[in-house]
Amino acid sequence: MSSPISRDDVAHVARLARLELTPDELDRFTGQLAAVLDHAADVEALDVTDVEPTHHPYPLRNVQRADVVVPSCDRDEVLAEAPASEDGRFRVPPVLGEEA
Amino acid sequence: MTDTAPVVEPTLPDGWELVVGLEVHCELSTATKLFCGCRNRFGDDPNTNVCPVCLGLPGSLPVLNGSAVDYAMRLGLALNCTVNPAVFARKNYFYPDMPKDYQVTQYDLPTSTDGHLELPDGTVVGIERAHIEEDTGKSTHVGGSGRIHDATHSLVDYNRAGIPLVEIVSRPDIRTVESARAYASELRAILTSIDVSDAKMEEGSMRVDANVSVRPIGSDELRTRCEVKNINSIRSLGRAIEYEANRHIDLYDSGQTPRQETRHWDEANGRSTSGRSKEDSEDYRYFPEPDLVPLDPTGAQVDAIAEAMPPLPSARRHALADAAGLEAGSVALVVERGQDELALAAISAGADGGIVIKHLENNLADGTGELTAESFAALAAMEADGRLSATQAKTVLTDLVASGGDPTSIAAAHGFEAMDTGELDAILDRLIADNPDEWGRFVDGDRKVQGFFVGQIMKATKGQADGKVVNMLMQQRAAG
Ligand SMILES: [Zn+2]
């Protein structure tokens, strides 16, 4: 049986998660993740037609709060925790790519 | 195309058809954010409406705003959607405007699905889904020319982070630029009339992205689409779609294929520029949000929201059009301005629908002031039976708007006494006697001299005569 995940897949997922992996780690994690996916495939093989999907472990629904303003944090205190700030805003390195 | 250019239906080159779906993000006008009690307000000083939850600080937990859920369900019902049990999910990506490194949204189980929206001209556009999600913070790029590519750094304001949004995704049912614009206007009208969003494109509380592709006419395939972002007005929406469609056609014509990607509309230069290649949704690694429990509204809750729904723009257009005896499309402007209630009242007080709509469209764009349904109806009656000319009616209307009152006495005060036809007959007799050649030509069917006689009568009556009545008298005289 071919591996359910390729080394390239693992490199791609690592990049999405901003993880820097060495070639050795890539090999090791490809094997480990393949084992996890094999296990998922075993579960997937079960007939679950009559089983309710579980979206959440607790049987709670519709937990909501009233739409009432509560005081926010003090800005100076908040920005003091940031690596850098400017003009009342968080200062971050330039972003490459898409403007949000 | 300039600002003053009339809106004309831009045509694609022969043989091509436009296929457009729109994704509209609208901020809900709740008092607080989606998951925390920070104030939801545009224009406050940066980072004054922030707390551990919307800053994504470790250990903080979201608690869902009940009003946001009510607003989202109201919107779903207004878009003729089914309101479903829903589950929140995390959309994972790294960007400084999203301090948690994920955005809470709804993915495979959204609140609203499978609706539609009717445009004023009767076109129906399908709605695939309308889901709840949180807004991101606002980045400003600093240094260079202020553009993202040569910025030296960015500044982030998290006041907007966590503000409740509904994202409304249409089906790719839109076939013309005009329909795309009409869809955005209609959605804005719905959002404001059900009071869930102020839907201001210029403040970003309504943001429209367009998924654009083209195909040969007659085909039903869906070709590669590009998502065009950064569209800041309904006018830009039309320009951006037109540009993008023509870009695709040029590529196909030269044997190439567009690349599926996100593109940025550059309004100043009238073109779009390439952004990143669009991620597959797998790249966002969605999974159910463990900190929020599912939403499962009861039927009674959904029914109560449906019952409290104010009349929607399309229903209001149909009601007014039926009452006025006109097409729904021709009363759209009056409904958009919220003048349909006055129009309906005037019509039910006996006014002619066509006259009422004409005045509202042409003469009452700046508001109806002190004008009441009764005085409007009385004025329309005077105009309909020729006691006032159209020009005189407009003058009386201006007074009614400014200070109210009775149209009959206002007309009298202006000296707009209805000409009795005896007086007009006498003037016409004299004109015929003085201009026998011209009259002969009129009787022989030369309609060009008609204007001469009407002009002379208007001059003799100082503009008091009703043009319609004059024409009628001349026809009768020529025939007799
Ligand atoms: Zn907050």
Side-chain angles (χ1 to χ4, degrees):
Chain A
M1 181 177 142
S2 67
S3 173
I5 188 166
S6 70
R7 196 170 183 273
D8 284 349
D9 290 336
V10 177
H12 178 63
V13 172
R15 194 168 61 245
L16 290 175
R18 304 296 188 269
L19 295 172
E20 202 177 337
L21 301 184
T22 64
D24 279 355
E25 285 171 325
L26 269 181
D27 290 334
R28 189 159 78 242
F29 293 142
T30 302
Q32 289 182 359
L33 285 169
V36 172
L37 289 174
D38 281 338
H39 178 62
D42 290 343
V43 176
E44 214 168 32
L46 296 173
D47 179 5
V48 291
T49 321
D50 298 324
V51 181
E52 276 277 297
T54 304
H55 298 291
H56 202 276
Y58 299 113
L60 292 169
R61 293 286 182 274
N62 304 318
V63 176
Q64 295 174 11
R65 65 181 170 83
D67 185 19
V68 176
V69 176
V70 299
S72 294
C73 296
D74 177 74
R75 181 168 74 182
D76 292 340
E77 221 173 294
V78 165
L79 291 176
E81 300 296 321
S85 68
E86 186 178 316
D87 282 346
R89 287 170 290 181
F90 292 81
R91 183 184 165 131
V92 299
V95 183
L96 300 175
E98 189 189 0
E99 195 162 354
Chain B
M1 196 163 139
T2 67
D3 269 315
T4 51
V7 176
V8 290
E9 184 62 51
T11 45
L12 298 189
D14 273 352
W16 291 97
E17 178 176 63
L18 191 60
V19 179
V20 171
L22 296 178
E23 292 177 15
V24 178
H25 287 84
C26 62
E27 288 181 350
L28 301 179
S29 48
T30 51
T32 66
K33 293 187 179 183
L34 187 52
F35 299 121
C36 62
C38 288
R39 193 182 292 281
N40 168 10
R41 191 163 61 192
F42 179 82
D44 281 354
D45 280 346
N47 293 307
T48 51
N49 301 327
V50 296
C51 76
V53 172
C54 54
L55 289 171
L57 300 188
S60 62
L61 283 171
V63 189
L64 185 60
N65 180 343
S67 290
V69 177
D70 286 349
Y71 285 21
M73 292 195 287
R74 197 190 306 165
L75 177 53
L77 292 173
L79 297 172
N80 306 291
C81 289
T82 310
V83 171
N84 315 288
V87 172
F88 287 98
R90 290 187 184 181
K91 177 182 179 178
N92 297 280
Y93 65 94
F94 293 93
Y95 203 83
D97 65 13
M98 185 40 75
K100 297 194 292 275
D101 292 335
Y102 59 83
Q103 179 186 27
V104 178
T105 181
Q106 295 172 331
Y107 182 51
D108 50 346
L109 295 167
T111 286
S112 302
T113 52
D114 294 319
H116 65 268
L117 176 155
E118 188 194 307
L119 306 183
D121 70 359
T123 305
V124 174
V125 178
I127 305 287
E128 186 180 314
R129 55 188 280 148
H131 63 259
I132 306 172
E133 63 185 27
E134 59 180 333
D135 208 345
T136 60
K138 191 160 177 43
S139 311
T140 311
H141 307 293
V142 182
S145 56
R147 296 160 73 108
I148 187 160
H149 298 295
D150 46 6
T152 57
H153 61 280
S154 300
L155 300 178
V156 192
D157 168 15
Y158 291 114
N159 282 351
R160 201 178 71 179
I163 284 178
L165 291 176
V166 171
E167 179 178 350
I168 301 147
V169 182
S170 88
R171 297 197 185 281
D173 289 349
I174 296 167
R175 295 286 172 271
T176 67
V177 168
E178 200 48 62
S179 291
R181 285 203 207 93
Y183 175 92
S185 303
E186 184 66 13
L187 198 49
R188 186 174 57 189
I190 292 171
L191 289 164
T192 53
S193 68
I194 64 172
D195 214 15
V196 299
S197 173
D198 56 13
K200 289 181 181 159
M201 284 185 83
E202 66 280 13
E203 289 184 2
S205 58
M206 177 171 145
R207 308 195 284 271
V208 183
D209 302 331
N211 284 304
V212 180
S213 66
V214 295
R215 67 185 173 199
I217 287 175
S219 148
D220 58 0
E221 65 184 317
L222 292 176
R223 294 195 172 189
T224 307
R225 64 190 159 90
C226 291
E227 183 178 10
V228 186
K229 289 178 172 284
N230 195 38
I231 297 170
N232 295 319
S233 69
I234 287 178
R235 201 179 90 80
S236 296
L237 174 66
R239 293 185 75 198
I241 291 171
E242 194 185 349
Y243 174 88
E244 191 60 21
N246 281 295
R247 195 181 67 84
H248 285 211
I249 293 167
D250 288 348
L251 284 170
Y252 289 125
D253 281 349
S254 63
Q256 302 173 70
T257 311
R259 190 170 70 114
Q260 180 160 335
E261 61 182 351
T262 301
R263 298 183 64 89
H264 289 270
W265 176 244
D266 176 352
E267 177 64 27
N269 293 306
R271 63 194 188 95
S272 65
T273 54
S274 180
R276 60 176 177 202
S277 294
K278 205 165 159 50
E279 293 91 345
D280 293 326
S281 68
E282 300 94 78
D283 284 356
Y284 288 122
R285 295 151 293 142
Y286 286 95
F287 63 87
E289 164 59 87
D291 291 341
L292 292 164
V293 302
L295 284 176
D296 193 3
T298 63
Q301 242 178 311
V302 176
D303 289 347
I305 294 171
E307 265 165 49
M309 187 80 71
L312 296 171
S314 63
R316 286 162 54 196
R317 283 194 299 270
H318 285 296
L320 180 54
D322 287 350
L326 300 167
E327 295 285 311
S330 57
V331 301
L333 185 62
V334 171
V335 170
E336 194 183 311
R337 291 198 196 128
Q339 296 170 328
D340 47 325
E341 213 171 306
L342 176 66
L344 283 170
I347 291 168
S348 71
D352 175 81
I355 292 178
V356 165
I357 299 300
K358 176 195 75 175
H359 281 305
L360 284 167
E361 270 193 354
N362 301 331
N363 306 324
L364 296 167
D366 298 329
T368 54
E370 302 298 312
L371 180 67
T372 64
E374 291 68 31
S375 59
F376 201 177
L379 178 76
M382 291 168 76
E383 186 177 346
D385 64 19
R387 275 176 286 163
L388 289 177
S389 69
T391 317
Q392 291 170 336
K394 189 177 162 181
T395 306
V396 175
L397 189 63
T398 306
D399 285 9
L400 287 173
V401 169
S403 43
D406 164 44
T408 313
S409 27
I410 294 172
H414 279 283
F416 297 159
E417 297 300 333
M419 298 256 105
D420 64 46
T421 47
E423 197 175 336
L424 287 176
D425 270 327
I427 297 169
L428 191 55
D429 283 341
R430 199 186 68 228
L431 282 171
I432 291 169
D434 291 351
N435 305 282
D437 293 348
E438 284 79 0
W439 182 252
R441 277 160 54 201
F442 179 75
V443 173
D444 290 342
D446 180 357
R447 295 294 172 236
K448 285 198 292 271
V449 292
Q450 182 169 358
F452 165 76
F453 284 100
V454 175
Q456 290 295 315
I457 291 173
M458 287 300 176
K459 199 170 151 196
T461 60
K462 299 188 173 59
Q464 302 295 299
D466 184 328
K468 274 185 299 189
V469 175
V470 172
N471 284 332
M472 200 179 66
L473 277 180
M474 286 176 66
Q475 304 296 346
Q476 282 171 358
R477 193 70 72 86

